[in-house]
Amino acid sequence: MRVLTFDIGGTFIKYGICNENFEIIERHKIPTEAHKGGQELIEKIIGIVENGKDIDRVALSTCGQVDSENGIVVDAPGYIPYYTGMMVKKLIENKTGIPTFVENDVNAAAMGEAIFGAAKGQSDFICVTYGTGIGGAIYLNNKLYKGAGSSAGELGHMIIHAGGKQCACGGEGCYECYASANALISAVDRITTKREKLDAYEIFENIQKPEIRSEIDKWIDEIIVGLINIIYTFNPPLIVLGGGIMREDYIIDLIDRKIYNKLMTNYRNVKIVRSKLGDDAALLGVAYQASNIK
């Protein structure tokens, strides 16, 4: 079975062909152009599908809260106008005739890690991704836990600072306001004189500068606060950390050195690891799910 698999992010759409052995044999990346809105985004996806050859399934991982049973984006980020409520599965299937599966991007990544990656063989774990915001997925009893409204796992909107920074969700003090990659970028920007913001990778290239290292360490402390809340809520055996910034060894090492001393004894058996699949996690996870639809 050949699955045309997509991962829609705020900046880029990554996509490729996944074969019957769940190997990605073709890879492409194009700008999302999120500002143009949901309709144009899905028309772009449909165009790629229509130009594909020998496609048996379409698999689509996307930002936003997703009703995967019906293939509907129930709540989308504000940077993609008119995406909320879009019946993605129906639109693609009606236009192309190819069975389509749609999933939230972090849920898809968690599925990829469960079947092929860092959580292979685990019946229970939590996946947390750090990027523009913070996403989460809950994997219990060998399946994704979706919650009553298909939206469980919004870990980025845990309140970790009462009355804190205003979040795009409308809340105050959300985890992602303090511990996302964007939060680190903003914190470093406030203490530097460079005209252009340093991106996350440039920040770590400058980690030897005491003032930048101090901001990184404070940011990692915020990550740890959120992880402790997750650990006390779920008591998981494993947490998988995703997002490009988690490639930095310094982050994982400092979390490992600091977090266990902050936990009660009975919670210290949790293992915290980075994603094994990286950018392929969501592509493989949603392809796997699509290959099993009837």
Side-chain angles (χ1 to χ4, degrees):
M1 179 179 291
R2 285 165 59 91
V3 179
L4 179 54
T5 182
F6 294 86
D7 183 19
I8 298 175
T11 306
F12 291 105
I13 299 170
K14 297 185 288 289
Y15 67 98
I17 300 293
C18 188
N19 66 16
E20 64 275 7
N21 297 318
F22 295 102
E23 299 165 330
I24 300 175
I25 57 175
E26 291 182 22
R27 295 175 187 273
H28 306 275
K29 184 167 79 170
I30 59 173
T32 305
E33 298 180 303
H35 63 282
K36 294 184 177 179
Q39 186 65 44
E40 185 152 335
L41 172 59
I42 296 307
E43 287 174 0
K44 186 181 296 189
I45 298 295
I46 289 170
I48 294 168
V49 176
E50 290 179 327
N51 287 324
K53 296 180 180 179
D54 303 320
I55 304 302
D56 300 299
R57 295 281 192 277
V58 174
L60 197 147
S61 155
T62 180
C63 50
Q65 298 169 19
V66 176
D67 172 0
S68 58
E69 184 175 343
N70 296 299
I72 300 170
V73 177
V74 296
D75 192 13
Y79 55 78
I80 308 181
Y82 313 113
Y83 199 32
T84 295
M86 185 155 284
M87 303 173 73
V88 175
K89 173 182 168 69
K90 182 178 179 180
L91 288 168
I92 295 174
E93 289 184 344
N94 285 353
K95 191 72 173 178
T96 68
I98 301 174
T100 298
F101 181 81
V102 186
E103 181 63 279
N104 163 267
D105 51 1
V106 188
N107 281 341
M111 183 61 73
E113 296 292 343
I115 304 301
F116 308 107
K120 188 174 182 180
Q122 285 283 351
S123 60
D124 304 277
F125 71 97
I126 306 296
C127 182
V128 193
T129 60
Y130 298 81
T132 303
I134 294 177
I138 304 163
Y139 193 86
L140 300 176
N141 298 317
N142 291 301
K143 62 181 180 180
L144 290 164
Y145 175 73
K146 300 293 189 71
S150 301
S151 301
E154 280 286 2
L155 302 178
H157 298 293
M158 296 185 297
I159 305 300
I160 64 167
H161 290 273
K165 296 176 183 176
Q166 185 73 40
C167 182
C169 76
E172 295 178 341
C174 292
Y175 186 34
E176 69 177 40
C177 293
Y178 298 86
S180 64
N182 268 20
L184 174 62
I185 291 167
S186 295
V188 170
D189 185 56
R190 287 193 292 270
I191 64 162
T192 59
T193 57
K194 191 175 179 180
R195 289 185 180 179
E196 293 183 6
K197 283 186 179 182
L198 296 174
D199 64 28
Y201 303 104
E202 290 169 334
I203 288 170
F204 280 90
E205 286 174 355
N206 287 274
I207 195 171
Q208 298 307 320
K209 296 179 179 179
E211 67 277 14
I212 289 182
R213 186 168 185 151
S214 175
E215 292 300 324
I216 291 172
D217 288 354
K218 286 188 285 187
W219 171 73
I220 293 173
D221 284 342
E222 298 286 1
I223 290 176
I224 289 170
V225 168
L227 291 177
I228 288 172
N229 285 331
I230 292 165
I231 291 164
Y232 282 152
T233 301
F234 295 101
N235 192 19
L238 177 69
I239 297 177
V240 179
L241 305 183
I245 200 166
M246 286 299 159
R247 296 189 187 101
E248 298 291 342
D249 291 336
Y250 183 82
I251 303 171
I252 302 295
D253 292 344
L254 193 55
I255 290 171
D256 194 58
R257 291 204 308 271
K258 292 180 112 176
I259 194 168
Y260 294 100
N261 291 333
K262 298 177 183 291
L263 292 168
M264 289 188 284
T265 304
N266 197 41
Y267 294 85
R268 293 177 185 170
N269 60 345
V270 63
K271 188 176 181 182
I272 301 172
V273 301
R274 65 160 59 92
S275 163
K276 184 177 180 180
L277 301 176
D279 290 344
D280 286 347
L283 290 170
L284 288 171
V286 76
Y288 177 82
Q289 291 171 290
S291 70
N292 287 293
I293 62 176
K294 296 179 181 179

